[in-house]
Amino acid sequence: MSQAPYPIPAFRVTLDGQDLTDRIAPRLIDLTLTENRAGEADQLDLRIHDHDGRMALPRRGVTIAVALGWKGGEMVDKGTFKVDEVEHSGPPDIITIRARSADLTAELRNRRERSWDSTTLGAILTTIAGEHGLTPRIAPALADRAIDHLDQTESDAALLTRLAKQYDAVSTIKAGHLVFAPIGSGTTTGGEPLPEVVIHRRDGDTHTYRTASRDEYSGVRSYWHHKAGATRKSVLVGDSGNAKRLPNTFASETEARQAAHSEWERLYRGAATLSVSLAMGHPEIYPEQSARLAGFADEISDRKWLIAKATHSLTDRGLTTALDMEGAQ
């Protein structure tokens, strides 16, 4: 039997453990999987023809597992998602299914109020993980960070996002793990190094490179409450000429300096961004991997990049991958 002259995309979809790939394949209009670094749940979108009315609508809350790849090759498990929205429209009759990361449970999104005193970042994160049946994977560089006082008036999911921003970290929940690590640390949930991605110009379809001068800020200033003198003091990272001012007042000088440093790091990464569309999809690529590019302009090829978002799309044109990247240190 002769091989196909070009790669043929493949996918697998299971609904609550039942493999529906063969049933969906002839009806699939498109499948889009968006993987985010932090702050947002990963999202799966499916559009399916229902011209004969024989496709049942999935219930909200059921789980969908997805794998992507190429026929004759190894499939890449892209995780499990919980159906969040279902739509039936027409004519022509089309079912649209939107699902989000199954690990982001309703309990994580429930608002709550509590406080922590004289503790560490690791202790707070371990408590949250335990309350939701998750295994904590907290980078040692962050686990021992002292926290004098912390008030929570939001959901645990929102608190994790807030702490991630303050400590310039990735906060994500996947495969039963709560992962909290510095952005760009390049490790898996088990602490293993992530493989670096190498992208050649010939792999790409289109690209867009943008650069800016850190939004023209010279530094970052943040504020903290000095209890002894009942005064508001500040710390500065960078230069004072045109420093960005953070609106929050932190409980200690240490926390204020950490927040200022994190914001300065974000400004650095945002000073150079790169979007690349790969004509042949690479479902094995995911956020937080570092990337090197070859064959592009020197400003692009001479620096290291960090993948912030990966969007894998399966349509009648094939399987493609779009990457959003930012400059790494």
Side-chain angles (χ1 to χ4, degrees), residues 107-173:
E107 291 76 14
L108 270 162
R109 296 193 294 266
N110 288 337
R111 183 177 175 180
R112 62 193 305 175
E113 295 187 7
R114 55 179 165 176
S115 298
W116 281 275
D117 290 290
S118 302
T119 186
T120 64
L121 179 60
I124 293 174
L125 295 172
T126 299
T127 297
I128 294 174
E131 291 171 343
H132 298 282
L134 301 169
T135 301
R137 296 291 190 195
I138 306 163
L142 295 175
D144 293 333
R145 296 293 178 92
I147 293 181
D148 292 342
H149 179 79
L150 176 68
D151 289 320
Q152 178 181 356
T153 59
E154 67 267 71
S155 67
D156 285 344
L159 176 61
L160 291 172
T161 299
R162 172 157 66 98
L163 290 172
K165 183 176 181 180
Q166 181 175 342
Y167 289 91
D168 196 35
V170 172
S171 173
T172 187
I173 297 173

Side-chain angles (χ1 to χ4, degrees), residues 6-285:
Y6 49 84
I8 300 175
F11 73 96
R12 183 174 62 248
V13 172
T14 61
L15 185 69
D16 272 355
Q18 181 181 1
D19 192 335
L20 298 180
T21 307
D22 292 340
R23 182 167 171 75
I24 291 175
R27 299 170 177 266
L28 183 68
I29 301 173
D30 51 51
L31 178 157
T32 303
L33 172 60
T34 304
E35 298 179 290
N36 299 290
R37 180 170 59 200
E40 298 178 64
D42 294 347
Q43 182 171 304
L44 173 69
D45 292 281
L46 283 165
R47 290 200 307 150
I48 303 167
H49 281 297
D50 188 33
H51 57 280
D52 53 6
R54 299 182 63 182
M55 290 297 293
L57 298 179
R59 302 186 314 276
R60 291 179 65 247
V62 299
T63 57
I64 298 179
V66 176
L68 295 173
W70 301 92
K71 284 190 176 179
E74 186 176 349
M75 301 282 280
V76 180
D77 181 7
K78 301 306 290 183
T80 304
F81 305 82
K82 187 169 289 187
V83 173
D84 193 48
E85 301 174 29
V86 180
E87 176 185 291
H88 194 289
S89 61
D93 286 5
I94 293 174
I95 297 173
T96 302
I97 302 167
R98 176 163 293 168
R100 295 182 172 88
S101 301
D103 289 310
L104 195 61
T105 62
E107 291 76 14
L108 270 162
R109 296 193 294 266
N110 288 337
R111 183 177 175 180
R112 62 193 305 175
E113 295 187 7
R114 55 179 165 176
S115 298
W116 281 275
D117 290 290
S118 302
T119 186
T120 64
L121 179 60
I124 293 174
L125 295 172
T126 299
T127 297
I128 294 174
E131 291 171 343
H132 298 282
L134 301 169
T135 301
R137 296 291 190 195
I138 306 163
L142 295 175
D144 293 333
R145 296 293 178 92
I147 293 181
D148 292 342
H149 179 79
L150 176 68
D151 289 320
Q152 178 181 356
T153 59
E154 67 267 71
S155 67
D156 285 344
L159 176 61
L160 291 172
T161 299
R162 172 157 66 98
L163 290 172
K165 183 176 181 180
Q166 181 175 342
Y167 289 91
D168 196 35
V170 172
S171 173
T172 187
I173 297 173
K174 290 185 179 180
H177 296 87
L178 168 57
V179 181
F180 201 93
I183 288 178
S185 61
T187 57
T188 66
T189 57
E192 298 298 320
L194 291 173
E196 184 178 69
V197 177
V198 179
I199 299 171
H200 296 272
R201 182 68 186 268
R202 62 178 179 270
D203 300 328
D205 188 3
T206 62
H207 75 277
T208 302
Y209 166 74
R210 291 189 177 91
T211 184
S213 55
R214 293 199 189 189
D215 290 333
E216 298 184 353
Y217 287 116
S218 60
V220 177
R221 187 180 294 278
S222 62
Y223 297 88
W224 61 286
H225 181 71
H226 186 247
K227 294 180 181 179
T231 57
R232 186 170 180 251
K233 294 191 173 185
S234 71
V235 296
L236 175 69
V237 173
D239 299 322
S240 61
N242 182 34
K244 179 177 182 178
R245 297 173 184 269
L246 299 184
N248 296 335
T249 299
F250 295 90
S252 69
E253 180 180 3
T254 300
E255 292 176 39
R257 188 175 299 280
Q258 172 61 55
H261 175 76
S262 296
E263 183 62 22
W264 189 233
E265 290 294 306
R266 272 190 294 277
L267 289 173
Y268 176 88
R269 290 195 303 271
T273 60
L274 176 66
S275 298
V276 176
S277 177
L278 302 178
M280 182 174 174
H282 287 266
E284 74 279 6
I285 295 178

